[in-house]
Amino acid sequence: MNKGMKKTTAILFSATLLASAAAGCGSDDKKSGEASPAASTAASTAATATPSGPPVTLTVEVFDRGVQGQPDLNNNTWTKYVNEKFGKPNNAIVKYVSVPRSQEVDKLNVLMAANEAPDISFTYDGNTVTRFAKSNGLYLLDELLEKHGKQLKSYLGEKVLSYGKYEGKQVSIPGKRTLIAWNGMFIRKDWLDKLGMPVPTNRDELYNTLVAFRDKNPGNVNGVIPWATAAAGMNYTFGNLVQSFWGPMSEEEFVTTTNWLKPGHKEAFKWLNKLYDEKLISPDFALDKTTKQADADVTNGKVGFYAANWDYPLTQKIRDPLKQNAPDANFVPIDAFKNYDGKYLKEMYNENGIFSFIPKSSKNAELAIKYLNWMADPEVLFFLQFGQEGVNHKLVNGIPQGITQTGENMQMSNLNLDYTLVVNGAELGDTEKNVRTYAATLAAGDQSYEKLAVDAYKVNTTDGYTGFYYGVPNEANIKYGKTLGDMNKQMIDRLIVTKPAEFDALYDKLVKEYMDAGGKAVQDENVKNYREVKAGSK
């Protein structure tokens, strides 16, 4: 391995798992069933003395997801809890301002332009936050965090907070993403057992397995499909296959070069083209724009291997019909794509989730930081995510399982995501518990699927890397991103299904068109921004 790649390895190959309990997280012996778990700790954290005078109104954004039967988003079990436990001790009234989820960026732009955005506003779009910061529309939060956000800083940590900085200043508060796995690969272990074959650990072994699935049809099904996939850009992926073909690169090359020009990328798609030509991949995958065909093939027991989101087997549309149609099917997660350096390199989500920020027009910046700081208390988070034991959840093997609710107890998003701005995902202070809780939410407590989730998460965060954070938007990507994204999907599908003899010429032609359509401009700006970030960090 060359020196540049060693540097890349040191920085990018270490899986940034959130396995250790973050400072400020709750202990295992927490009495989760108490009706008001934050009564003592959170209230005392929020304020040592109740301010006098008329109450201050703190406005906080909340998504309106249009969930059928949802209660008043500003008056329900969760908002009452917030006003009781945070509002009263701080002589404040927390008022929630609903924003349609599907129009959140457009709505934010209007509110910001009119100086009417809530005191705490948020978005998942980091470029939007950067644009507001660039136009001097946001509070700088460093001093406020230092004075009123010590618990918040401790909970999030420097790495998560770094995603909310612009030109070295804290302009937003990113939520902590507790589960960062992305793609996964799954294989029929029961088919392997019938064939007397081991679980594949590299590309050659996987290829031999796919051939055996095709030729020997261990499931004795009509129309066996060794590897199921769907049109590019949908839930089905190629896992970390492409990364396993990439050759040595410096960190700058790894971060800034478009994938189509990375060493080994062409060979990855040539290998997929070979598999398609040998009828080892779904024959009509490029026509499956909705994944309905791939889902049907998997759940009807026709498929031996597939790659998709790491939690895809847990989803109801896969889990329930598969158990009904092929009760003996046993998909297990695998790592089969090893690179030249013996690593199972794979991309993960960045550690940050939603971005909360305080508009410059706010008159309550100090109270806003106090609110987010209060929310970082583990007991507060637990109640907002799971509620009261016996009412909102039950404990099964130490894992809280939600009880279906209607009326004001109803959660409008999984784990009350829209009311818990400092975290994305279950937060029990331990990664395995977080994964099991997530699995229990999806799989209704089926312990076999809890195990599948734990195993899949471990596999799909091994040798993982997260995307490089530039801290500034790529203007060329804003201009050409939609066009390039559409081209990227078409290129993948065309390259896999073309005749093998025509592959090389088609690859070179399509990549040139891609770079001419804006790919080169995006890559050049990546290089410029990367070098500026590195120069500024010295």
Side-chain angles (χ1 to χ4, degrees), residues 4 7-8 11 249-256 530 534:
K7 184 177 181 183
T8 305
I11 296 177
M249 287 174 276
S250 68
E251 183 190 79
E252 179 175 322
E253 290 170 329
F254 188 94
V255 167
T256 63
Y530 173 86
K534 287 298 180 181

Side-chain angles (χ1 to χ4, degrees), residues 135-152:
S135 61
N136 198 32
L138 304 182
Y139 255 98
L140 300 182
L141 305 176
D142 298 270
E143 291 186 10
L144 286 173
L145 273 174
E146 190 61 35
K147 188 173 182 181
H148 302 291
K150 285 185 168 51
Q151 182 170 240
L152 181 61

Side-chain angles (χ1 to χ4, degrees), residues 22-334:
C25 291
S27 61
D28 292 343
D29 61 354
K30 183 191 308 173
K31 295 182 180 179
S32 58
E34 295 177 359
S36 51
S40 58
T41 305
S44 61
T45 301
T48 54
T50 303
S52 58
V56 176
T57 298
L58 178 72
T59 53
V60 180
E61 181 180 352
V62 65
F63 281 150
D64 184 348
R65 297 179 182 269
V67 178
Q68 186 175 4
Q70 70 183 22
D72 184 340
L73 299 180
N74 201 47
N75 183 25
N76 53 60
T77 296
W78 319 106
T79 61
K80 291 175 182 177
Y81 172 86
V82 168
N83 274 291
E84 177 69 23
K85 302 303 178 185
F86 174 81
K88 284 186 177 180
N90 286 278
N91 194 29
I93 297 172
V94 181
K95 178 182 178 182
Y96 292 88
V97 179
S98 63
V99 171
R101 175 67 179 98
S102 60
Q103 305 168 30
E104 55 119 346
V105 173
D106 292 339
K107 182 69 172 178
L108 264 182
N109 287 334
V110 172
L111 291 172
M112 289 289 289
N115 291 325
E116 295 177 353
D119 296 311
I120 299 177
S121 298
F122 58 73
T123 180
Y124 283 101
D125 187 355
N127 286 337
T128 294
V129 177
T130 302
R131 182 161 44 81
F132 290 154
K134 196 173 182 178
S135 61
N136 198 32
L138 304 182
Y139 255 98
L140 300 182
L141 305 176
D142 298 270
E143 291 186 10
L144 286 173
L145 273 174
E146 190 61 35
K147 188 173 182 181
H148 302 291
K150 285 185 168 51
Q151 182 170 240
L152 181 61
K153 289 178 63 177
S154 177
Y155 171 66
L156 295 177
E158 291 184 10
K159 182 66 182 291
V160 173
L161 283 170
S162 70
Y163 289 99
K165 290 190 175 183
Y166 175 73
E167 293 185 341
K169 301 294 184 181
Q170 197 77 44
V171 297
S172 67
I173 305 297
K176 179 195 288 187
R177 187 184 293 275
T178 62
L179 300 179
I180 56 177
W182 193 343
N183 295 319
M185 292 72 65
F186 307 92
I187 199 164
R188 285 284 295 267
K189 180 67 164 57
D190 54 310
W191 284 13
L192 292 175
D193 293 342
K194 285 184 179 181
L195 296 172
M197 300 183 73
V199 174
T201 60
N202 56 51
R203 288 196 305 266
D204 290 340
E205 292 177 0
L206 179 63
Y207 172 79
N208 292 334
T209 300
L210 296 175
V211 170
F213 286 170
R214 179 195 65 193
D215 295 344
K216 298 180 181 180
N217 190 5
N220 193 29
V221 294
N222 182 25
V224 64
I225 299 174
W227 182 343
T229 190
M234 303 307 295
N235 290 326
Y236 289 85
T237 70
F238 298 113
N240 62 322
L241 165 70
V242 173
Q243 289 98 322
S244 73
F245 276 90
W246 288 348
M249 287 174 276
S250 68
E251 183 190 79
E252 179 175 322
E253 290 170 329
F254 188 94
V255 167
T256 63
T257 304
T258 178
N259 286 346
W260 292 111
L261 295 181
K262 282 186 167 73
H265 201 78
K266 184 176 184 178
E267 286 68 28
F269 280 91
K270 184 176 287 188
W271 195 75
L272 285 168
N273 175 264
K274 166 185 166 68
L275 264 58
Y276 179 80
D277 186 61
E278 296 180 5
K279 297 181 173 32
L280 298 175
I281 292 178
S282 302
D284 298 320
F285 81 91
L287 302 177
D288 188 8
K289 306 291 186 184
T290 64
T291 76
K292 286 184 178 179
Q293 186 59 55
D295 286 346
D297 291 336
V298 170
T299 56
N300 284 325
K302 294 183 177 183
V303 173
F305 172 81
Y306 72 93
N309 295 338
W310 76 274
D311 57 353
Y312 207 62
L314 281 71
T315 59
Q316 187 176 17
K317 69 174 183 176
I318 297 296
R319 183 188 72 247
D320 292 348
L322 178 62
K323 290 171 70 174
Q324 180 178 351
N325 298 331
D328 295 331
N330 178 25
F331 277 103
V332 296
I334 68 169

Side-chain angles (χ1 to χ4, degrees), residues 303-434:
V303 173
F305 172 81
Y306 72 93
N309 295 338
W310 76 274
D311 57 353
Y312 207 62
L314 281 71
T315 59
Q316 187 176 17
K317 69 174 183 176
I318 297 296
R319 183 188 72 247
D320 292 348
L322 178 62
K323 290 171 70 174
Q324 180 178 351
N325 298 331
D328 295 331
N330 178 25
F331 277 103
V332 296
I334 68 169
D335 242 352
F337 300 129
K338 186 187 298 185
N339 73 355
Y340 74 97
D341 198 33
K343 300 288 187 180
Y344 292 94
L345 185 64
K346 57 183 73 76
E347 187 170 5
M348 305 181 300
Y349 286 112
N350 286 349
E351 298 90 334
N352 67 293
I354 202 164
F355 298 92
S356 297
F357 57 89
I358 303 175
K360 220 32 173 327
S361 57
S362 172
K363 302 295 191 294
N364 301 306
E366 181 177 303
L367 185 61
I369 287 296
K370 287 182 176 181
Y371 174 74
L372 295 175
N373 187 69
W374 168 80
M375 189 175 291
D377 185 293
E379 295 184 1
V380 172
L381 276 182
F382 187 91
F383 185 84
L384 288 177
Q385 289 197 322
F386 303 107
Q388 182 180 353
E389 185 179 0
V391 176
N392 310 104
H393 75 271
K394 59 181 178 180
L395 288 178
V396 179
N397 297 320
I399 298 299
Q401 290 182 16
I403 300 172
T404 301
Q405 302 284 342
T406 57
E408 67 173 14
N409 278 339
M410 184 178 180
Q411 294 187 352
M412 280 62 71
S413 55
N414 186 33
L415 298 170
N416 257 346
L417 181 68
D418 302 335
Y419 288 119
T420 57
L421 303 183
V422 300
V423 65
N424 285 77
E427 179 57 281
L428 295 175
D430 174 84
T431 298
E432 182 171 326
K433 287 183 178 180
N434 293 341

